[in-house]
C-alpha cells in the first residue's frame, strides 16, 4: 500500500457525460500527478500540482481539468467523455516536484460506453 | 527532445533464469533514474539511482546506473513467476520536474 488513495475504483459512464476522479496523496506529500494509461499503453502524464498550484501540464485534453485543494487532495474532471477516454487513471504523489520518487495510487478504471 | 528507451520490449524466460532489462536515456539536465514494477495494477517503486556505478539492491533485484553512457540496467536473479510484470524506467530532469517514462519491458516468467 503506497499511502495514496483514489476513488472510485471503477466508473462506468456514457459518452458525453462528465466525471470527477479523486485522489488523496501520501501524508506529507505536497505534489500530485495525474496519469492516463490506456489498454496496453504506457503512462501518459496529464498534469502536476504542487501545494495547490498547477506546476506542469502534459498531454492533457482541454476537456480535462484538475485542481488541488488546500487539504492537498486533488480532483481530475473529465467532461464530454468519448469512448477513447476509457482508461486507467492514476494519481501519484511526491514530497515536492524535484524529489522525483513518485508513489502511485491504485487507480480509477474508467469505462465510457 | 527528451526520451527514455527500454529494451527488450518483451521477454519470456523460465523460472530460475537471470534477466537483465535495459534503459537508455537522452535528457537535458539529468537528475535521477527510477525503476518501477507494474503488475495488473499501479506501478510500485523499486529503485531510484542518481550516481554512476553505485549498485542498488533489494533481494534478488539490483540496478546500476552509467551516467557516462546514459543507461541503466535492472537485474533479476533466480526469477520466480511472481516477477512477471511490466518493468518501467523513468528519468527525472531539472527542466520540468516531470518523470519521462519509457514504454516498459513486459517480463513473463514461465514455471
Amino acid at each position: 500500500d503506497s499511502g495514496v488513495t483514489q476513488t472510485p475504483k471503477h466508473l462506468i459512464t456514457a459518452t458525453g457525460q462528465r466525471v470527477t476522479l479523486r485522489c488523496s496523496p501520501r501524508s506529507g506529500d505536497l505534489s500530485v500527478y495525474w496519469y492516463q494509461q490506456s489498454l496496453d499503453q504506457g503512462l501518459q502524464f496529464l498534469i502536476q500540482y504542487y501545494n495547490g498550484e498547477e506546476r506542469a501540464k502534459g498531454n492533457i485534453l482541454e476537456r480535462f481539468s484538475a485542481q488541488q485543494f488546500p487539504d492537498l487532495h486533488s480532483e481530475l474532471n473529465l467532461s464530454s467523455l468519448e469512448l477513447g477516454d476509457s482508461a486507467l487513471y492514476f494519481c501519484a504523489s511526491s514530497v515536492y516536484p524535484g524529489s522525483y520518487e513518485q508513489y502511485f495510487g491504485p487507480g480509477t478504471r474508467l469505462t465510457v460506453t | 527532445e527528451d526520451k527514455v528507451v527500454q529494451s527488450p520490449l518483451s521477454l519470456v524466460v523460465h523460472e530460475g533464469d537471470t534477466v537483465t532489462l535495459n534503459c537508455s536515456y537522452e535528457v537535458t539536465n539529468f537528475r535521477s533514474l527510477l525503476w518501477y514494477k507494474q503488475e495488473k495494477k499501479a506501478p510500485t517503486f523499486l529503485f531510484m539511482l542518481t550516481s554512476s556505478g553505485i549498485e542498488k539492491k533489494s533481494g534478488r533485484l539490483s540496478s546500476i546506473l552509467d551516467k557516462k553512457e546514459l543507461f541503466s540496467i535492472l537485474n533479476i536473479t533466480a526469477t520466480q513467476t511472481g516477477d512477471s510484470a511490466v518493468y518501467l524506467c523513468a528519468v527525472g530532469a531539472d527542466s520540468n520536474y516531470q518523470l519521462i517514462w519509457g514504454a516498459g519491458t513486459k517480463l513473463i516468467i514461465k514455471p
Side-chain angles (χ1 to χ4, degrees), chain A residues 79-93:
Chain A
S79 61
S80 303
L81 285 167
E82 302 175 359
L83 295 177
D85 298 326
S86 295
L88 260 174
Y89 291 85
F90 289 111
C91 168
S93 71

Side-chain angles (χ1 to χ4, degrees), chain A residues 4-64:
Chain A
V4 179
T5 61
Q6 287 187 249
T7 56
K9 287 185 180 177
H10 303 278
L11 200 47
I12 300 174
T13 190
T15 54
Q17 295 298 305
R18 173 189 169 94
V19 297
T20 297
L21 313 183
R22 183 188 167 103
C23 166
S24 292
R26 290 188 319 161
S27 177
D29 285 359
L30 301 179
S31 198
V32 168
Y33 310 78
W34 286 98
Y35 291 91
Q36 180 192 58
Q37 188 174 44
S38 301
L39 192 63
D40 291 332
Q41 297 291 310
L43 283 168
Q44 296 295 318
F45 168 71
L46 295 178
I47 197 163
Q48 175 194 4
Y49 280 82
Y50 171 60
N51 210 17
E53 301 284 328
E54 182 185 300
R55 187 62 187 258
K57 264 187 175 179
N59 300 319
I60 188 165
L61 300 171
E62 284 193 15
R63 301 183 285 109
F64 296 0

Side-chain angles (χ1 to χ4, degrees), chain B residues 10-80:
Chain B
S10 65
L11 186 57
V12 181
V13 300
H14 286 96
E15 221 171 4
D17 288 351
T18 293
V19 297
T20 298
L21 310 183
N22 303 289
C23 175
S24 64
Y25 61 91
E26 291 179 29
V27 301
T28 306
N29 298 323
F30 171 91
R31 296 292 286 174
S32 61
L33 186 143
L34 297 91
W35 285 97
Y36 286 81
K37 177 183 181 182
Q38 186 176 24
E39 297 168 89
K40 292 185 179 179
K41 46 188 178 180
T44 53
F45 173 77
L46 294 175
F47 299 112
M48 183 167 77
L49 304 127
T50 55
S51 301
S52 269
I54 298 175
E55 185 183 56
K56 292 234 175 168
K57 197 170 170 67
S58 176
R60 296 176 293 103
L61 278 67
S62 63
S63 183
I64 198 160
L65 173 67
D66 186 329
K67 288 167 73 174
K68 184 179 176 185
E69 300 297 330
L70 309 182
F71 77 93
S72 173
I73 60 172
L74 175 68
N75 279 322
I76 309 174
T77 59
T79 52
Q80 303 170 357

Side-chain angles (χ1 to χ4, degrees), chain B residues 82-96:
Chain B
D83 295 326
S84 295
V86 174
Y87 290 83
L88 297 165
C89 172
V91 172
D94 262 350
S95 51
N96 54 17

Side-chain angles (χ1 to χ4, degrees), chain B residues 6-11 103-107:
Chain B
Q6 293 186 245
S7 63
L9 289 180
S10 65
L11 186 57
T105 293
K106 184 172 185 176
L107 177 63

